[in-house]
Amino acid sequence: MPGVSSDSARGALVPLSPESPGAVVYPLRHGLKSPISRLSISWSRGNSLRVSVFAAPSSDGSVNDGDGGKVVEVKLGGGDGEISEAHWRRIAYGSVSPFALLQSRKNAVSTLSKMSMNSSPYDGDWWDYIMEYSKDINALLVNQKSASVPVLDDTKSVITKGEEPTSLKAAWELLEMFYAEKPSHSWLPERLVDWLADYDSLFSGTHPTVHSKLVDFQKEFVNLQVVEDDPKYWEVMSSALAVGWLNIVVKMLRLHGSYQLDQLSNRETENGLVEAVAVLISKMPRMRLEQEAGKLGECYKAKPDFVKAWEKWRGQINKLDSSAFWFQCAHQQTREGLRSMLQIMLGNANSLCSATYNWIELYISHFLYMRPLTVGLESMYSLAQKSIQLKPMASAHRLMGLIIGILGENTEVVLAECLKGFGPWMVAHAIELLTAGSDHAEMLLHEERQNLGGISIEELHRLVYAQVLSSFPLTWQIAPIYLISCMKHGMILLQILLSKQPVQDNQLLLKSIEICRLYELHSVTSNIMKIAGVHHWKHGRKGSGVFWLQQARDEYRLNRIALQLFDSVGKTISDESFKQWEGLIQLLGSDSKTAGGLEFLHKYRDFKKSLRQIHDGKATDPARQAVESLISLMKNPSTPQRFWLPLLYDSLKLLNWKERPLLNVSQTNLLLNKLQELSMARLRPDFIESELPPQALNSVRLALGTNLGRAILEE
Amino acid sequence: MAFAESQNPLRVYRIPQSRYIDAVRWLSPVSPSDRFAAIAYFDADTNSPSIEIAYVDPNPQSSSPTLTPQSSWTSHSRISSLRTAHSTPQPLLAAATFSGSLHILASDLINGGVMESEATVSQLGFHSGPVSAVDLREGGTECVSVGEDGRVNLVSFVGDSSKLNYRRIFDSNGLVGYTAVKWASPSEFATGGYGFGIQWWDQRTPGGPVLQFKGNWCQGKTSGIVHSIDIHPSRKHTCLAGGSSGTIFAWDRRAAQQPIVLSGAGTGEASNSLLSESEVWEVQYDRYTRRSNIGNISSTRILPVMICSEDGILAVIEQGEEPLELLAEPCAINSFDIDRQNPSNVICSLEWESLAILTRS
């Protein structure tokens, strides 16, 4: 049998020998001692598999512990480790409102642009909407667990840790800067510098990074007496300088031993050089819109100003580099360290390459020191290709793939990287940014494709995400938001989703019905009400069953269950059980349309009530009421035939009323006709005999006859 | 619809829980500054339901309240209804489950909120199917439970017997299902069910409900289910009920079969503004009032009511006035509780696995 290995007796399930070399075998513990005879595998909630393992019955017929079977739930894919299931759900919940808001704004914009033909749909507030959406989503991605607080005292801690960054947030910020902040394209290099400063640590897991070197150094740093003697001090500073972490570099420079008061006098020149470099670093011209308060560097918005400042700054570096003071600096490490930092600032390609640890860091250092005026994705892309050639890597981090896709302006690659690296949530929400400003991407993603069954790529990814949401019991309720944004298949899938929801629990059922109400899916509503009604009925909750079938206005099933109810009515409506029935009859109400065949119960209750009031055989008014009820019951076509005789038998004392006949001639004739009809019906094979004494029919006939005679006399 | 205006400042804190919340209740505090809440969780990742006592720190330095779990009790089935009795320092909790059992828990708030299961009823035949609602009598020696199976059970717990005994007050054999229950006095309680019906029970008159409020008052319109009942200790003649289609109504037992509709189905006239069109999951009399004395409010007038609904609304309704919306969430508010000692505090559970704590001042 496939799936069962020969050593299954040892208690482990192992799949057949894998044909593809990359397959990994995970043994599955099921705890069964006896050999396995049968396996059944089915999908459970979410991405769990339910594996049912059946043991072979033991040959000697004895029953042992561990016989029978076991059901094991296997969770496939342990998430991405970075973000827990609960955090993913929190992101999913939080993204509902921004997504829904953006969709409704999109719809409003497109109706507006249809009305005024010539105006472009995407201007004015459009970018604000996109940006608001992106910021709302971004805010959800903040990692809840705060990172460890640095134990070092502040003067010695070179890197401060805030929240622990996640790749997901890093990826979203990349998309945001390239697609949502369209007008700021000329600042992109500087935005990337900032981005790397926030997220360089993410690459530490798979690649050496400046961040990881800094962290390593900080650990040793505490025990160092003379920092400038340690080559790592200079190495790490050069690296931090190369990726533009100016504050960290200046802070580290000022930890140089020559700053100490007792050494200042005899290391004056050395200290002067260190300070000169620190000042030059803090004066570095940056071409950017704004600078965060406290960050070093001087920022220029206009290109000519920047170029002027840049030339001047480089001139100062060159001047320092060629100054005679270096010969007076006795400390060799300081001299070499500082001069190599100057080389980085001058944009020496070799220095940059050796100071950085992966291609992104190299790429960023090129922006900072070699080509600060890089504009346009094309040149950014070619620079990235060059960096990759200089620092090739065996395996690419998922963020690196995304960056290449974005720079290469290849929407398909970006989507594929999003899906591969970050899952369906990312794709479904990132598409909004991708299509925001690019007509090309919009055409590509909105075009209906034959190979996708006539839907667009956008719809495909929304449907995929909605499917993921639907498979979890806690998130299925937000799937409809995404489904209704899918023009082609959304509505149908929504109906299927709602029809599949469990009906056992009222609260869940009502939540489904509420969603049906919102999207005006009346037929689905009545379907799930019917399912719920039948479910409750089958489980003995007759009241609940009748209620839901009434709500669904399901005449057919109400009539069917009415027949079953009558069976128990015939036996159990005694005075004792009357209170039990009372509630159900009240629930049925007097509205016969919603009561179906159960209308009979209502009248029957009235009849029984009046009958009970005339125990003594004297009260004439209740007796008259009872007659009224009897006649209307007998006239009513909904009264089942098999109740005719019991009804008449119950009414014997009305028919034999002492004082005077209660039924007039025509009423008596009606009852006699019914009795005749009944006698005829008894000949048919499908007639159900009521549980009455055998003389019942005769005594009724006799009473009716007597009553007829008395009535004729009276008239 | 009026929102909480600026003169009535309202602070709302949402605290994500990463677990689904089936029910939430305040516990009566030991000292005036303490706040404890009992929360019934369902962890969907591990499929495990539990009840936790949490210390709610209303004003830590971070300016938003924090929940510190004190103790936890693992249930074998999800909690369908949770009630607390206001006795100190050992508040009692009654928790009913979807598997038809009832658990009485006691929590010692002085000694770290340790929660112990005092007693359990889970015999076959106690309820068939889920217990839909439970209520603890004030003072906490008796508990009434109802279900859609049509059973009304009375559970008494005096002393420390680990197995509780229950008394079947009524069994409709499923012909009538009950979805809500609330004590009115030591011997009387009210139940609610399908078709907006309410039943009034008196233990001194056994054999069935003493009074029935006909469920079919909203004829022709969609009928619904009563999800929650509240009875004010000073107005025992009036049952307040909330249910389907945004319906909030009161039944004055003295006024026979005519309901006083505060909102929702069957209103007919435009004078009653429709607060919500979806399920009203819980109703409670709002004891937080700016008026000095509720005694001044005429006895025929309905006292202010707080409700929460499937469409994410938490609001206060006063008869004949515009409802005051406290919260409008993008997801359902499934339950809430008003702090007895300090009614300005409200805790509510949101569908999207989080709690919200409101402070009115």
Side-chain angles (χ1 to χ4, degrees), chain A residues 441-492:
Chain A
E442 197 177 336
M443 262 168 54
L444 181 83
L445 299 177
H446 289 171
E447 183 199 339
E448 290 173 2
R449 281 154 198 271
Q450 281 308 307
N451 59 347
L452 297 179
I455 60 173
S456 64
I457 293 181
E458 181 187 67
E459 178 161 348
L460 173 75
H461 287 297
R462 282 184 189 164
L463 290 177
V464 168
Y465 179 56
Q467 286 298 311
V468 172
L469 291 174
S470 308
S471 67
F472 286 97
L474 294 183
T475 51
W476 77 266
Q477 285 182 61
I478 53 181
I481 305 281
Y482 294 90
L483 287 175
I484 52 143
S485 69
C486 298
M487 298 308 289
K488 284 255 159 130
H489 295 326
M491 233 17 181
I492 295 293

Side-chain angles (χ1 to χ4, degrees), chain A residues 89 93 477 511 514 542-543, chain B residues 171 174 278 310 334 351 353:
Chain A
R89 288 201 301 273
Y93 297 142
Q477 285 182 61
K511 281 176 192 288
E514 169 75 4
K542 301 188 181 69
Chain B
D171 188 354
S278 57
E310 174 65 23
N334 291 322
E351 179 74 23
E353 297 175 64

Side-chain angles (χ1 to χ4, degrees), chain B residues 85-323:
Chain B
H86 293 262
S87 55
T88 46
Q90 287 201 312
L92 283 175
L93 286 87
T97 65
F98 279 97
S99 65
S101 61
L102 178 79
H103 307 272
I104 305 295
L105 310 169
S107 171
D108 191 339
L109 294 184
I110 292 175
N111 299 318
V114 179
M115 186 161 34
E116 276 176 7
S117 172
E118 289 280 296
T120 296
V121 205
S122 55
Q123 287 106 305
L124 217 63
F126 175 59
H127 275 284
S128 104
V131 180
S132 46
V134 70
D135 195 25
L136 260 175
R137 215 178 73 195
E138 211 46 48
T141 53
E142 262 183 327
C143 186
V144 60
S145 70
V146 296
E148 280 179 59
D149 56 355
R151 290 180 190 162
V152 181
N153 290 321
L154 191 74
V155 181
S156 327
F157 41 98
V158 192
D160 44 9
S161 55
S162 64
K163 277 271 181 198
L164 286 183
N165 281 319
Y166 68 91
R167 185 157 66 84
R168 173 80 37 85
I169 290 204
F170 188 69
D171 188 354
S172 79
N173 287 317
L175 289 171
V176 185
Y178 304 102
T179 53
V181 66
K182 179 79 189 171
W183 283 103
S185 75
S187 60
E188 293 162 299
F189 59 89
T191 59
Y194 288 94
F196 292 139
I198 298 180
Q199 300 81 28
W200 188 265
W201 307 73
D202 191 332
Q203 291 187 63
R204 294 163 295 196
T205 321
V210 188
L211 262 178
Q212 300 217 38
F213 174 65
K214 278 207 179 90
N216 50 9
W217 49 268
C218 54
Q219 279 176 21
K221 298 204 173 90
T222 330
S223 183
I225 306 172
V226 171
H227 297 308
S228 168
I229 295 180
D230 198 12
I231 296 165
H232 199 278
S234 73
R235 309 269 166 97
K236 290 188 174 163
H237 46 82
T238 306
C239 290
L240 173 73
S244 310
S245 315
T247 307
I248 304 140
F249 67 95
W251 169 46
D252 191 335
R253 280 188 291 133
R254 302 168 303 181
Q257 294 296 330
Q258 202 48 48
I260 303 155
V261 179
L262 295 173
S263 177
T267 40
E269 300 120 53
S271 61
N272 285 302
S273 52
L274 192 63
L275 182 62
S276 157
E277 280 182 81
S278 57
E279 307 298 315
V280 171
W281 291 122
E282 184 143 20
V283 288
Q284 274 186 32
Y285 281 110
D286 186 12
R287 287 165 177 83
Y288 177 77
T289 171
R290 274 150 292 164
R291 268 170 230 155
S292 51
N293 190 0
I294 58 156
N296 292 342
I297 304 174
S298 142
S299 79
T300 50
R301 206 178 138 87
I302 307 298
L303 298 170
V305 174
M306 188 181 284
I307 65 123
C308 70
S309 75
E310 174 65 23
D311 51 4
I313 290 181
L314 182 79
V316 177
I317 305 175
E318 275 190 72
Q319 201 179 0
E321 283 181 34
E322 280 278 284

Side-chain angles (χ1 to χ4, degrees), chain B residues 49-124:
Chain B
S50 64
I51 296 178
E52 281 185 16
I53 304 282
Y55 176 68
V56 183
D57 192 353
N59 292 311
Q61 287 86 358
S62 61
S63 83
S64 83
T66 52
L67 284 184
T68 319
Q70 303 285 307
S71 63
S72 163
W73 175 80
T74 311
S75 169
H76 64 281
S77 166
R78 276 179 78 168
I79 306 300
S80 57
S81 179
L82 179 71
R83 290 297 171 103
T84 51
H86 293 262
S87 55
T88 46
Q90 287 201 312
L92 283 175
L93 286 87
T97 65
F98 279 97
S99 65
S101 61
L102 178 79
H103 307 272
I104 305 295
L105 310 169
S107 171
D108 191 339
L109 294 184
I110 292 175
N111 299 318
V114 179
M115 186 161 34
E116 276 176 7
S117 172
E118 289 280 296
T120 296
V121 205
S122 55
Q123 287 106 305
L124 217 63

Side-chain angles (χ1 to χ4, degrees), chain A residues 272-273 275-285 298 300 306-326 338-339 341-343 345-346:
Chain A
L273 284 167
E275 182 57 26
V277 172
V279 168
L280 275 173
I281 290 171
S282 56
K283 294 269 183 230
M284 180 181 175
E298 287 181 353
Y300 295 90
F306 170 75
V307 173
K308 224 194 249 168
W310 176 254
E311 292 304 331
K312 193 179 154 204
W313 183 66
R314 283 174 67 99
Q316 286 165 340
I317 298 170
N318 274 320
K319 209 169 136 194
L320 180 63
D321 195 30
S322 54
S323 93
F325 289 113
W326 295 109
L338 287 178
R339 294 193 78 169
M341 285 168 80
L342 290 185
Q343 283 308 305
M345 288 155 81
L346 287 171

Side-chain angles (χ1 to χ4, degrees), chain A residues 154-171:
Chain A
D154 195 41
T155 52
K156 281 211 160 184
S157 82
V158 284
I159 41 168
T160 49
K161 280 179 156 188
E163 60 175 78
E164 203 161 305
T166 62
S167 296
L168 185 64
K169 190 167 161 61

